[in-house]
Amino acid sequence: IEVSYFTAHTFHYFKVAITTLLNILFPVLKPGGSLIISVWEDFSLQHLSKFIVNEMRATGSMEDFVVFDTPSSVLDQLTTYARPHAIENMVNQSGFDITRVDHETARILLSGGNCPSEVGVNVATLPIRPFLEELEKTGENKNAFQDAKKAFESLLQDPSLVSRDSCGNVVTTLPSRFKLVTATRPFTDSE
């Protein structure tokens, strides 16, 4: 009986440069081993976060002249490598051979998994908490969380932004795009 072993590790790169991570992984991965990297190309949660902030501005719960931008810093980190060939170039420069690049889409689940067959479902959260905390801390809006909740309720009424799937889950209407890069560590003459 032949037994195959498969090891998978997930890295979320927010503080470490991807080139540093790739250079660390290269000597660890055995020759012929595969590396799979996924990067967001467009993230629909950005649109939802901006909607909430704009809704708060429209209802007067946040001044138009406020210097805070939408809570993009967290989301921008997720789309850092969205530029064409950005991640592929980094993978190649680290010594890996790219074997496949796929572009896929996914709708982001915003409510709990209601289908009995769903396994390993992750529910996304909108990363605007630090932004709302800053509004409350500076006194710009002492009720930022309550106002954001009202804006989110408004968002739920907009079918161009969110809808329900066949199980009744709230999902993003616009799919998020991501790139899946598969690469291998090449064999060297000594291997």
Side-chain angles (χ1 to χ4, degrees), residues 2 27 47 59 74 89 152 179 188:
E2 183 178 326
H47 305 293
T59 61
V74 173
N89 290 339
F152 184 74
K179 182 187 319 187
T188 62

Side-chain angles (χ1 to χ4, degrees), residues 99-148:
T99 57
R100 184 178 176 133
V101 177
D102 293 302
H103 299 271
E104 301 289 340
T105 61
R107 293 173 64 192
I108 307 297
L109 185 66
L110 297 173
S111 68
N114 292 324
C115 290
S117 63
E118 291 177 344
V119 178
V121 172
N122 288 324
V123 178
T125 56
L126 298 177
I128 64 171
R129 182 178 193 84
F131 176 71
L132 298 174
E133 287 172 344
E134 184 72 16
L135 287 175
E136 286 189 351
K137 184 174 87 178
T138 62
E140 176 66 35
N141 182 339
K142 298 275 186 202
N143 300 311
F145 283 93
Q146 287 299 339
D147 293 338

Side-chain angles (χ1 to χ4, degrees), residues 50-109:
K50 288 178 183 176
F51 177 91
I52 290 172
V53 171
N54 290 337
E55 188 74 11
M56 289 173 68
R57 283 190 171 123
T59 61
S61 60
M62 193 170 83
E63 296 293 330
D64 285 336
F65 60 83
V66 70
V67 294
F68 306 116
D69 195 4
T70 54
S72 59
S73 61
V74 173
L75 292 171
D76 287 345
Q77 292 177 44
L78 297 173
T79 57
T80 301
Y81 305 104
R83 293 182 325 276
H85 306 290
I87 193 70
E88 295 94 318
N89 290 339
M90 290 177 201
V91 169
N92 278 332
Q93 289 168 1
S94 296
F96 292 96
D97 291 334
I98 293 178
T99 57
R100 184 178 176 133
V101 177
D102 293 302
H103 299 271
E104 301 289 340
T105 61
R107 293 173 64 192
I108 307 297
L109 185 66

Side-chain angles (χ1 to χ4, degrees), residues 125-174:
T125 56
L126 298 177
I128 64 171
R129 182 178 193 84
F131 176 71
L132 298 174
E133 287 172 344
E134 184 72 16
L135 287 175
E136 286 189 351
K137 184 174 87 178
T138 62
E140 176 66 35
N141 182 339
K142 298 275 186 202
N143 300 311
F145 283 93
Q146 287 299 339
D147 293 338
K149 180 181 177 188
K150 289 177 194 170
F152 184 74
E153 290 168 355
S154 176
L155 178 145
L156 292 174
Q157 304 306 312
D158 188 338
S160 71
L161 297 171
V162 295
S163 56
R164 295 204 178 264
D165 66 11
S166 60
C167 296
N169 300 314
V170 177
V171 296
T172 57
T173 301
L174 294 173

